[in-house]
Amino acid sequence: MRIVLIGAGNLATQLGKALVKRSKHEVLQIYSHTVESARTLADQLQVAYTTSIDDVVKDAELYIVALKDAVLSEVIPELVKGRNKKAIFVHTAGSIPSRIWQGYACRYGVFYPLQTFSKQRDVLFSEIPIFIEAVDKTTEEQLNSFASSLLCRKVYTVNSEQRCRLHMAAVFACNFSNYLYTISERILIDSGLPFEVMYPLIDETSAKIHRLSPHLAQTGPAVRYDENVIGKHLKLLADYPEWKKLYELITKNIHHDQLRFNQDKGTRV
Amino acid sequence: MRIVLIGAGNLATQLGKALVKRSKHEVLQIYSHTVESARTLADQLQVAYTTSIDDVVKDAELYIVALKDAVLSEVIPELVKGRNKKAIFVHTAGSIPSRIWQGYACRYGVFYPLQTFSKQRDVLFSEIPIFIEAVDKTTEEQLNSFASSLLCRKVYTVNSEQRCRLHMAAVFACNFSNYLYTISERILIDSGLPFEVMYPLIDETSAKIHRLSPHLAQTGPAVRYDENVIGKHLKLLADYPEWKKLYELITKNIHHDQLRFNQDKGTRV
């Protein structure tokens, strides 16, 4: 397929690399509002770029919009206007419904890869679950075969609400976990210890839940509600009032869930 | 060394296996208050066990106490009384100071492996950072060579306060991250999706921070304070009021940290 990438951020960069280096598709052009981002990605992929939505190629077969959610509703009408009526238009956002395209494009949908992307760090699309939504069956099939052409092995069809819930689940498991790592790093540095001592524990915590439901994998002072240890930690957290609040809230939640689980034992999944 | 393991929980089980299967030390006996736990571990390791602290072998060279923090102060006086005066006594707790042994044992310390342990899941001690504290230099050296004999490659000496902060950092990075995984699992199940779709994202999130400080790796709607997406998630979280509170608190923290970081850019580590 002849593809235009609208966006030059983390996801667009990784998707662009996968398309150019590991697929038979042709990337015609990169669009980004920011000239530096557009040029950097276009240079990497050795394709053309533009910073003006009017100059986006008119006859591509697939337009992939990987922009910040906040600008989508502004860019979409301008993008679709005057472009190939038979083209497929997709966005890549977890929490934006597919109906954002309604009234503009005829053939549209969503191509949502569930992963955290950085420009510097390459990822294999073959390992990433892809969530597709499409306006009709033909478009859905074409998006499915597009995913297969990227070697994606896990492709799911979901509706907009499911995808929004999925995104929310990802925010907890990824963005928020990463924030807990930043707290951990700060505490270690402030204690004169390198953050790398935490790597094996972080690795094991994430590896463990492939085999064991995280509910069953839960350990630590909160599970047994060890007031002595919890009290010591809260005392040390006096210097970090925001993290203290967070410590208290999560500890309380873990403890309550554990109590509920023990009450329900045997009936709960 | 001739060793007695006091405890038959997750850590004692994994330490016992490593000692019996991958070291030259001799495990003389397992003690656990609970006969079932004592027998299960003793059978696995093919060693003797007791459920009475009075019957613990008197002439071991190293007593490793891996019990719940809450019972330590009760067990320690009974354990040390009448036992080999030259023996080394250690506990394995993150947040219990080494002075808990003071007035009871002459040679004592702490042997704290920074990892999350399950009975079912074997771990390699060669990959686990070990934090040692000892009452004197000779004891410290002996604990160091004990760690080396388990093939531990990263052995650190820390004082009790550092260890408590380390434990607290681990609670954030491990116990609390795992709790976020349980939330994620529940949201997915309630949306008709299997938790396994989250594995690649969880793996990448934890792998990423080996190369990139978690502060720089932070992504998601909270970083850009995308009110549209955040609002949608909070709406969906109406059914889970406790998790809604948590979502709001972490989002606010990520956003504030990001603002602070942008203000300090260039000066902050």
Side-chain angles (χ1 to χ4, degrees):
Chain A
M1 281 210 275
R2 294 155 51 81
I3 298 171
V4 170
L5 267 181
I6 306 293
N10 297 346
L11 168 53
T13 299
Q14 292 302 329
L15 193 54
K17 282 189 195 174
L19 284 168
V20 168
K21 293 183 188 164
R22 286 184 288 275
S23 89
K24 291 184 176 173
H25 302 293
E26 189 186 352
V27 176
L28 302 176
Q29 195 186 34
I30 308 291
Y31 160 85
S32 170
H33 183 66
T34 324
V35 61
E36 210 182 295
S37 310
R39 193 192 296 135
T40 306
L41 181 54
D43 284 356
Q44 257 188 85
L45 305 184
Q46 307 216 321
V47 299
Y49 72 87
T50 177
T51 57
S52 150
I53 205 83
D54 290 337
D55 294 337
V56 167
V57 170
K58 299 223 175 323
D59 61 345
E61 294 162 280
L62 176 62
Y63 293 85
I64 303 177
V65 181
L67 294 172
K68 275 183 207 148
D69 298 5
V71 302
L72 280 183
S73 58
E74 194 186 304
V75 169
I76 281 175
E78 288 187 64
L79 171 68
V80 179
K81 205 168 59 186
R83 301 270 145 21
N84 179 6
K85 283 269 175 274
K86 290 181 183 164
I88 299 178
F89 292 84
V90 293
H91 73 67
T92 56
S95 295
I96 304 291
S98 66
R99 66 166 184 277
I100 196 171
W101 295 104
Q102 222 169 22
Y104 304 109
C106 307
R107 307 189 62 201
Y108 61 83
V110 181
F111 182 86
Y112 176 55
L114 185 64
Q115 189 49 285
T116 171
F117 296 95
S118 312
K119 287 186 187 174
Q120 316 87 314
R121 200 176 147 83
D122 288 2
V123 285
L124 287 174
F125 275 80
S126 55
E127 305 300 322
I128 302 175
I130 305 285
F131 296 85
I132 280 175
E133 186 177 359
V135 67
D136 55 42
K137 269 286 159 203
T138 328
T139 309
E140 188 184 314
E141 275 158 26
Q142 270 184 275
L143 289 177
N144 256 308
S145 68
F146 172 67
S148 305
S149 72
L150 281 170
L151 307 178
C152 301
R153 286 178 306 185
K154 302 215 163 180
V155 186
Y156 301 81
T157 307
V158 291
N159 61 34
S160 292
E161 195 193 314
Q162 272 178 310
R163 195 179 56 256
C164 190
R165 287 182 188 272
L166 180 67
H167 186 204
M168 183 172 79
V171 166
F172 278 101
C174 163
N175 304 151
F176 289 180
S177 286
N178 183 77
Y179 184 65
L180 297 178
Y181 302 158
T182 69
I183 295 178
S184 189
E185 183 185 38
R186 176 59 41 200
I187 293 170
L188 286 173
I189 292 174
D190 290 353
S191 317
L193 290 163
F195 181 48
E196 61 174 48
V197 303
M198 206 54 76
Y199 295 170
L201 180 58
I202 287 173
D203 291 346
E204 172 66 10
T205 304
S206 59
K208 209 172 182 174
I209 51 92
H210 289 236
R211 304 258 158 215
L212 203 61
S213 158
H215 185 81
L216 298 173
Q218 190 67 60
T219 57
V223 174
R224 35 180 203 276
Y225 210 70
D226 188 329
E227 290 184 75
N228 180 21
V229 171
I230 294 168
K232 279 178 192 164
H233 292 173
L234 291 177
K235 220 168 142 189
L236 290 175
L237 284 168
D239 300 339
Y240 313 97
E242 288 306 309
W243 300 346
K244 190 177 169 196
K245 235 187 270 174
L246 194 55
Y247 187 104
E248 282 173 319
L249 184 57
I250 302 184
T251 294
K252 203 183 72 187
N253 280 353
I254 293 176
H255 183 58
H256 284 178
D257 278 18
Q258 213 67 25
L259 288 181
R260 254 200 309 264
F261 179 75
N262 288 336
Q263 275 167 10
D264 302 354
K265 226 172 206 172
T267 58
R268 178 162 172 160
V269 284
Chain B
M1 282 208 273
R2 295 156 49 82
I3 298 172
V4 170
L5 268 181
I6 306 293
N10 297 346
L11 168 54
T13 299
Q14 292 302 330
L15 193 54
K17 283 189 193 173
L19 284 169
V20 168
K21 292 181 188 163
R22 284 184 290 274
S23 89
K24 291 185 175 170
H25 302 291
E26 189 186 354
V27 177
L28 301 177
Q29 195 187 32
I30 307 289
Y31 160 87
S32 169
H33 184 65
T34 324
V35 62
E36 212 182 293
S37 311
R39 194 193 294 134
T40 306
L41 182 55
D43 283 357
Q44 258 188 82
L45 305 184
Q46 306 215 320
V47 300
Y49 72 87
T50 178
T51 57
S52 151
I53 205 84
D54 289 337
D55 294 339
V56 167
V57 170
K58 299 222 176 320
D59 60 344
E61 292 161 281
L62 176 62
Y63 293 85
I64 302 177
V65 181
L67 295 172
K68 276 183 206 147
D69 298 5
V71 301
L72 281 182
S73 58
E74 196 186 303
V75 169
I76 281 175
E78 288 187 64
L79 171 68
V80 179
K81 204 168 60 188
R83 302 268 145 22
N84 180 4
K85 285 269 175 274
K86 288 181 186 165
I88 299 179
F89 292 84
V90 293
H91 72 68
T92 56
S95 294
I96 304 291
S98 65
R99 65 164 185 276
I100 196 172
W101 294 105
Q102 219 169 25
Y104 303 110
C106 308
R107 306 190 61 201
Y108 61 83
V110 181
F111 182 86
Y112 176 56
L114 186 64
Q115 190 47 285
T116 169
F117 296 95
S118 311
K119 286 184 187 177
Q120 316 89 312
R121 201 175 146 84
D122 288 1
V123 284
L124 287 174
F125 274 81
S126 54
E127 305 300 323
I128 302 174
I130 305 285
F131 296 84
I132 280 175
E133 185 177 358
V135 65
D136 55 43
K137 269 286 159 202
T138 327
T139 309
E140 188 184 316
E141 276 159 24
Q142 270 185 277
L143 289 176
N144 256 309
S145 67
F146 172 68
S148 305
S149 72
L150 282 168
L151 307 178
C152 303
R153 284 179 305 186
K154 300 212 165 182
V155 186
Y156 300 82
T157 307
V158 291
N159 61 35
S160 292
E161 195 194 314
Q162 271 179 311
R163 195 177 58 257
C164 190
R165 288 183 187 270
L166 180 67
H167 185 203
M168 183 171 79
V171 166
F172 278 101
C174 163
N175 304 151
F176 289 179
S177 286
N178 184 76
Y179 183 65
L180 297 177
Y181 302 158
T182 69
I183 295 178
S184 189
E185 183 184 38
R186 177 58 41 199
I187 293 169
L188 286 172
I189 291 174
D190 290 354
S191 318
L193 290 163
F195 181 49
E196 60 174 48
V197 303
M198 206 54 75
Y199 295 171
L201 180 58
I202 287 174
D203 292 346
E204 172 66 9
T205 305
S206 58
K208 209 172 183 175
I209 51 92
H210 289 236
R211 304 256 159 218
L212 203 62
S213 158
H215 186 80
L216 298 172
Q218 190 68 58
T219 57
V223 173
R224 36 181 202 275
Y225 209 73
D226 187 330
E227 289 184 75
N228 181 22
V229 171
I230 294 168
K232 279 178 190 163
H233 292 172
L234 290 177
K235 219 168 143 188
L236 290 175
L237 284 169
D239 299 341
Y240 313 97
E242 289 305 310
W243 300 346
K244 191 177 169 197
K245 233 185 273 174
L246 194 54
Y247 186 106
E248 282 173 319
L249 184 58
I250 301 183
T251 295
K252 203 183 71 189
N253 280 352
I254 292 176
H255 183 57
H256 283 179
D257 279 17
Q258 213 68 26
L259 288 182
R260 252 200 309 264
F261 178 74
N262 288 337
Q263 275 169 10
D264 302 352
K265 227 171 203 172
T267 57
R268 181 164 170 160
V269 283

